[in-house]
Amino acid sequence: MTQPALLVLEDGTTLRGTGFGADGETFGEMVFNTGMTGYQETLTDPSYCRQIVAMTAPHIGNTGVNEEDPESRQAWVSGYVVREPARLASSWRATRDLDAYLRAEGVTGIAVRGTRLLTRRVRERGAMRAAISTTETSPERLLERVLASPEMTGADLARVVSTPGPYTVRPPGRVRYRVVAVDLGIKASTPRNLAARGCEVLVVPATSSAADILASSPDGVFFSNGPGDPAAAGYAVDAMRGVLGAGVPVFGICLGSQILAQALGLGTYKLRYGHRGVNQPVLDLATGRVYITSHNHGFAAALPGERQGGPNGPGEPHVSAETPGPSTWAHVPPRARQPFDTPYGPAVVSHVNLNDGVLEGLRLLERPVFSVQYHPEAAPGPHDAADHFDHFCALLGG
């Protein structure tokens, strides 16, 4: 038996549909993901904590849910929006269907015909607070509770999703390097990628101090992806500064890249609707290579000299969202082309997003430190950027 459900955005946009997953009511920031595959990885990515995720692909759940693909110990999305959930799971790996999984995880979902309208609304007006309810029939009453819910700006969520205690992931063969990974919302595929390259990975909580991180004398330190506002994670910035001062190799991704940016003296800001999906083109400024990458972030690091975001103001992209992204070097923001000074020596912007010119990577010129805003560990893909792990291991080897 199908159950009516209601989706309300904070601007009053209302969509009626059919509930699936858990019954009840949920609140979060409304975002969209453009990936055509990998829904199980999306659901279990800690970077989606306190977010309601709309999938732009029309059919979700075709391959069911299995026990091998989760990226963490639980589903972290607050709510789930799809156009049409699959009625059958047709994969030999599946152990249950998506509806049963969402019910077990307590995730409330809604199936609506208007996912295209919803995506356009978020693109035009930005990420907004929202709610899904299978119990409330009045959009006005639900909107009141949406407007009373917390915003993402200022949210410290890394400590919410992080591991409560250290654990170790060992390589299948001999140990070549020892790495400490700071769990700001780490995905399981990250230590697996490092372990496959001979790294023994000690994963530590988000609030670990520099002294905690360096206590085991690691060959290098990794700062992971994660949810929330980087400006609210001052403890991670302090830890990063301590690690940078020790001179060990450092690699950061996503939130870890934003933490590095703050440690280097750059600002961070909230993007209008964020980057989420598996098809984001990123330019490597050193080689001219374009990576097709997986993204999941709503905040970004400001370019040197831009404390509050792009030239169009806070939260605005460097290139208009209505125009094609830059495809030549001439379109790279001028501030991205010059080295800038930091307390740890000169640094450069290493990568930029070709859709909107947003900073996508940083590198210190005199220390073994670099970061990228995207996900080189992406499961199920793309795997264009997996060589960043090889580069990190090269730094570990001196």
Side-chain angles (χ1 to χ4, degrees):
M1 180 179 177
T2 60
Q3 184 173 13
L6 193 62
L7 169 65
V8 174
L9 307 186
E10 70 173 279
D11 69 349
T13 299
T14 300
L15 295 174
R16 295 184 182 274
T18 302
F20 75 107
D23 294 336
E25 195 167 276
T26 188
F27 297 83
E29 182 182 53
M30 187 74 247
V31 301
F32 61 86
N33 182 298
T34 59
M36 296 184 68
T37 185
Y39 58 83
Q40 187 171 345
E41 291 86 345
T42 295
L43 291 166
T44 55
D45 182 348
S47 294
Y48 281 115
C49 177
R50 206 196 287 174
Q51 291 180 323
I52 297 173
V53 182
M55 303 298 290
T56 61
H59 296 100
I60 300 296
N62 292 335
T63 56
V65 174
N66 61 60
E67 305 305 319
E68 290 77 41
D69 291 345
E71 287 289 356
S72 65
R73 61 186 181 273
Q74 66 179 77
W76 285 105
V77 301
S78 292
Y80 207 46
V81 184
V82 302
R83 185 181 187 277
E84 186 175 344
R87 289 169 293 197
L88 296 174
S90 54
S91 170
W92 63 272
R93 300 174 68 224
T95 57
R96 49 185 160 170
D97 61 27
L98 178 59
D99 181 68
Y101 174 75
L102 293 179
R103 280 189 275 111
E105 291 289 313
V107 176
T108 301
I110 183 173
V112 294
R113 293 291 183 181
T115 51
R116 181 182 293 273
L117 180 151
L118 177 62
T119 301
R120 291 181 65 88
R121 190 61 52 89
V122 173
R123 278 180 57 89
E124 292 164 359
R125 303 187 182 181
M128 292 175 275
R129 290 170 292 175
I132 300 172
S133 180
T134 62
T135 58
E136 179 62 79
T137 59
S138 168
E140 293 76 19
R141 286 196 296 267
L142 189 57
L143 177 59
E144 289 178 0
R145 297 200 289 280
V146 169
L147 295 175
S149 65
E151 296 183 349
M152 190 59 71
T153 300
D156 176 13
L157 299 179
R159 67 172 78 223
V160 173
V161 302
S162 183
T163 177
Y167 64 92
T168 300
V169 178
R170 294 180 172 82
R174 71 179 183 91
V175 175
R176 298 175 60 204
Y177 311 111
R178 288 178 170 82
V179 173
V180 171
V182 181
D183 178 8
L184 305 175
I186 201 167
K187 294 162 63 179
S189 51
T190 298
R192 281 203 303 265
N193 268 278
L194 290 168
R197 291 162 171 81
C199 296
E200 181 180 272
V201 185
L202 173 63
V203 183
V204 299
T207 54
S208 299
S209 67
D212 297 332
I213 294 167
L214 298 170
S216 61
S217 301
D219 297 307
V221 178
F222 176 86
F223 283 79
S224 82
N225 62 291
D229 187 344
Y235 50 86
V237 178
D238 291 341
M240 175 69 82
R241 287 175 176 149
V243 171
L244 292 175
V248 299
V250 173
F251 178 24
I253 67 169
C254 201
L255 180 58
S257 184
Q258 297 158 16
I259 296 300
L260 174 62
Q262 291 197 336
L264 298 182
L266 300 181
T268 55
Y269 65 101
K270 195 174 192 307
L271 292 165
R272 182 166 52 184
Y273 51 82
H275 298 158
R276 296 177 181 88
V278 297
N279 51 6
Q280 298 277 340
V282 171
L283 175 66
D284 183 331
L285 296 178
T287 65
R289 175 179 173 181
V290 175
Y291 292 89
I292 301 302
T293 63
S294 174
H295 280 56
N296 178 14
H297 63 106
F299 292 81
L303 290 170
E306 293 180 353
R307 298 290 302 178
Q308 297 298 323
N312 299 322
E316 292 299 321
H318 295 272
V319 177
S320 169
E322 287 72 37
T323 61
S327 58
T328 68
W329 288 81
H331 291 95
V332 175
R335 288 186 178 89
R337 304 177 199 165
Q338 302 297 324
F340 61 97
D341 294 329
T342 79
Y344 310 96
V348 292
V349 174
S350 58
H351 299 74
V352 295
N353 191 296
L354 287 182
N355 284 336
D356 54 16
V358 166
L359 187 155
E360 291 281 357
L362 294 164
R363 179 167 56 90
L364 288 180
L365 297 180
E366 298 175 355
R367 300 193 186 209
V369 175
F370 73 106
S371 69
V372 292
Q373 182 59 67
Y374 47 90
H375 291 266
E377 86 293 347
H383 301 137
D384 288 25
D387 59 355
H388 294 336
F389 289 111
D390 299 319
H391 178 54
F392 183 46
C393 288
L395 295 180
L396 300 178

